[in-house]
Amino acid sequence: MKKIYNHKEIEKFVQKFWNKKKTFITKEDKYIEKYYCLSMIPYPSGNLHMGHIRNYTIGDVIARYQRMLGKNVLHPMGWDAFGLPAENAAIKNNKRPSDWTYKNIKKMKKQLKSLGYSYDWNRELITCKPEYYKWEQWFFIKLYKSKLIYKKKSLVNWCKNDKTVLANEQVINGKCWRCDEKIIQKRISQWFLKITKYAEELFSELKNLTLWPEEVKTMQRNWIGRTKGIEICFKILKNDKKIKIFTTNPNFLKDFIYIKISIRHKLTKYLLKNNISISKFVNKYKNFTKFTDDSSKNNIYGINTNLFAINPVNENKIPIWISNFDVTDYNYYAKICIPNSNKKDLLFAKKYNIYLNNLPKVKYLDDKLVRKKNKLYNSNEINNLKTNKLNKSIKYRLLMTKQGIKKIKYKLRDWNISRQRYWGTPIPIVISKSGKIKTVPENKLPIILPENIKINKRNKKIKLKYKPNKIKINKEKFSLERDTLDTFFESSWYYARYTCPNYKKGMLDSKTSNYWLPIDYYIGGIEHATMHLLYFRFYHKLLRDFGFVKTSEPAKKLLCQGMVISDTFYYISKNNERIWISPEDVIIKRNKIGKIINIKHIYGKKIIYDGKKKMSKSKNNGINPEEIIKKYGADTIRLFIMFAAPVNMPLDWNESGIIGMNRFLHRFWKIVFRYKKYKYKTSIITYFSINKQIIFEKKLYETINKVSKDIEMKQSFNTAISSIMKLINELTKIFDYIIQNKKFIKKIITIIIKMLYPFTPHFCFILWKEIYGTYDIEKTKWPDICEKEIIYKNFVVIIQINGKKKGIINISNNLNDKEIKKMAINKIYESLNNKKIIKIIYIPKKILNIVTN
């Protein structure tokens, strides 16, 4: 064994061994308990960042730990390979999206292997490969024939920067989730998947996800937006049209002043045919619809329809206005406006002088309706009621007059699954010259996306080398659908395909899928809560209803890891722009508690500190993982990432912490080296050393128990590592006293190696080989400890010389009779006065009598 720990030699050797032996290949075994551990599939951007490494290290620690518990672990990896970034990179770098994608996959795969992750690479998926998306196209056809997919002209969310459609879930505060560009509305023909059909199930079954973070479940509940309320039907004065509005608070009807309807409302469409002013308003603002009511910014516009709705509560005439604010709650495109309690409604009312202090009444309601359990108050009496009584009374009036119906509504909208870009899964639909739509016959699947394309530099648009836009079906020519599928479509079922990646007879092999599913542990960022994680659950229910899987939810347990953050710095350019600077180019002076007190740029620029932010290219505060691996080793990074912070909290990147972890590994390496080089000889075991051993062994068992609970039950990996480090510190203090007990030292080192193995597999692989001479650490079991052993019981033995008591000793349960006799002699050695020992009589756990001459 070499004296110094050399991570470069060790990690290269161990990774080569794993690759050659195919150590982590997984097969189904019905006699072994399965465990499916999965990290969210990455996009092949070209370089791993620390967020990736944190996610995948967590997954690998869990996978290795579960293997040590004797479980059959599935731990796969793949690539979410389609998407807009590949197109943008292709245009920028004059490369085909396919070339850019496959090059990045190759690079990132090498980086993942350098970190020692225990993936079954035989199950690797690449979603842009025809053998994967063939089954996606096949399933699209099944969904279409089941009327779960439909096409319609619709106003869609359009990002001018990315030149693509976005699903509702991809619009954050009216802006693109990817580039932060303001979204506009465009009316184009789109494909939709009926996620709304599963709204109730998606909502109600959240309560069954007991091992999912509450924050994620709350976000999904709010997004689905299940609400009980009343649908109110407003009649329009001197008109046979009606306006329907949904509300959860009928008492608002007492105070509302006007109704605002969207450009998309049916009444608007009816009015613009015969009203030039309304027609001009709609044409002007139809592509500038606002998703948020920015009345305070004076960019919400309206026009009076000169029509009045009748308030069913107080018989007031209520003016109806059209606005470019897209009133889409529950898909009614209309809202009641209350300036007295809503600032934005007040701003709009002031802007257009909508003041109605003395609203005229019309004879509309019959206050002499049959009264049942509730009293039906007249219009004047309503004004004097308290809120709770008022709400019940208004609700009762609406139901009795049949102007209100009890309803359950959802904010969730159908999933827009088509995209107007090239690098995506072709939609398996063909269109005849007459506009007739047909699905592609199954025997013609997959419809392959041509990868051999070139860039037209002149207008910077991707063009195909040949035209794959015609197909013959029964001798009739059809044009292929030019839209491609939203990439979330691929990432919503990949987890199931991992269970049977090479299956050619169908989308999934139900036998193997049902063996592995559901996922036992799923790991990914909370930013996916209302996008991927919602689609992921929905798609699983589709797979269930089509007979592929038996369970209703795809994952039992979800962990949302925290971000990796670091310091950010910038300077102001001549153009008054922020230029972000890498922390590596900054000289930082900190005080004793770590607070920055002075910063300097290496080139003398005046810079500004902007706090700790998520590592990103845009802020230029990322760290190159390859350089860190080269400098300190994969095991050091893995250990630091798992130790530096609880896994669900932000991790503050700090290279001094990396150095500390590296020193810790060197320290334990030296302990094992000393054990290996120590020349053992037969000697009397001192009472002092045995006492130290007893105390330490109790600490050892307590540590095993704590580390096991921290990993299995609490996912508190940082405290687990801390406990192991404390144990090694204690071992260092007493190592010289107990080193002569080779059996005991070997036991300690073995247990520590086992506990460290999930975190630092290369390091432990070599130490195991040095201790046992074999390369089979992957076959070892996690240290076993039961609660009874934690209450570590010693027993007392009375020592006698020729029948007279000379002392007592505390004895550990695990010492044999020979060791106890040596310990007893050492304890009363001076009392023997050099007398010859004739024999030793030992009554186990009671008395040890030494007979002398």
Side-chain angles (χ1 to χ4, degrees), residues 790-825:
I790 298 303
I791 307 170
Y792 196 86
K793 291 184 179 179
N794 303 328
F795 58 89
V796 175
V797 172
I798 298 172
I799 304 173
Q800 298 177 337
I801 297 178
N802 297 323
K804 293 182 179 180
K805 182 179 177 182
K806 295 295 180 180
I808 60 172
I809 53 173
N810 288 311
I811 303 295
S812 167
N813 273 312
N814 68 334
L815 295 181
N816 57 37
D817 289 357
K818 186 177 179 181
E819 291 170 328
I820 291 170
K821 289 175 183 179
K822 284 184 178 181
M823 186 177 175
I825 292 169

Side-chain angles (χ1 to χ4, degrees), residues 465-576:
K465 270 191 173 180
Y466 62 96
K467 297 179 180 179
N469 57 350
K470 298 289 181 184
I471 188 171
K472 276 189 177 182
I473 301 174
N474 298 327
K475 297 182 180 181
E476 185 181 356
K477 281 188 178 181
F478 288 84
S479 298
L480 279 164
E481 169 66 69
R482 298 307 297 267
D483 284 1
T484 52
L485 287 172
D486 179 12
T487 53
F488 278 110
F489 209 81
E490 282 95 57
S491 61
S492 293
W493 73 285
Y494 76 100
Y495 70 95
R497 186 66 181 177
Y498 274 142
T499 66
C500 51
N502 302 310
Y503 188 62
K504 295 180 180 179
K505 295 180 180 179
M507 186 178 188
L508 295 174
D509 179 354
S510 294
K511 185 178 179 181
T512 57
S513 294
N514 285 311
Y515 171 80
W516 290 112
L517 292 172
I519 300 164
D520 293 278
Y521 211 120
Y522 197 39
I523 306 151
I526 198 168
E527 67 271 17
H528 300 293
T530 57
M531 286 191 282
H532 166 67
L533 288 170
L534 186 62
Y535 299 144
F536 167 68
R537 293 182 59 225
F538 167 49
Y539 216 104
H540 190 82
K541 296 178 190 305
L542 291 174
L543 293 175
R544 176 203 61 194
D545 291 348
F546 278 82
F548 291 111
V549 298
K550 294 179 180 178
T551 56
S552 290
E553 292 290 342
K556 291 180 183 177
K557 194 169 192 174
L558 174 68
L559 172 67
C560 292
Q561 87 279 1
M563 299 180 295
V564 180
I565 59 175
S566 68
D567 294 315
T568 53
F569 305 90
Y570 68 88
Y571 69 86
I572 305 296
S573 71
K574 292 179 181 179
N575 298 326
N576 207 31

Side-chain angles (χ1 to χ4, degrees), residues 180 327 461 467 493 607:
D180 217 31
V327 193
K461 287 186 179 178
K467 297 179 180 179
W493 73 285
I607 57 174

Side-chain angles (χ1 to χ4, degrees), residues 39 62 80 135 168 176 211 229 246 278 315 331 363 378 455 473 494 525 527 551 564 609 728:
S39 293
I62 294 166
D80 188 13
W135 298 111
N168 291 331
C176 175
L211 300 178
F246 179 79
I278 292 175
E315 304 175 352
N331 215 23
K363 189 173 182 182
N378 63 39
I455 310 300
I473 301 174
Y494 76 100
E527 67 271 17
T551 56
V564 180
Y609 177 60
I728 292 174

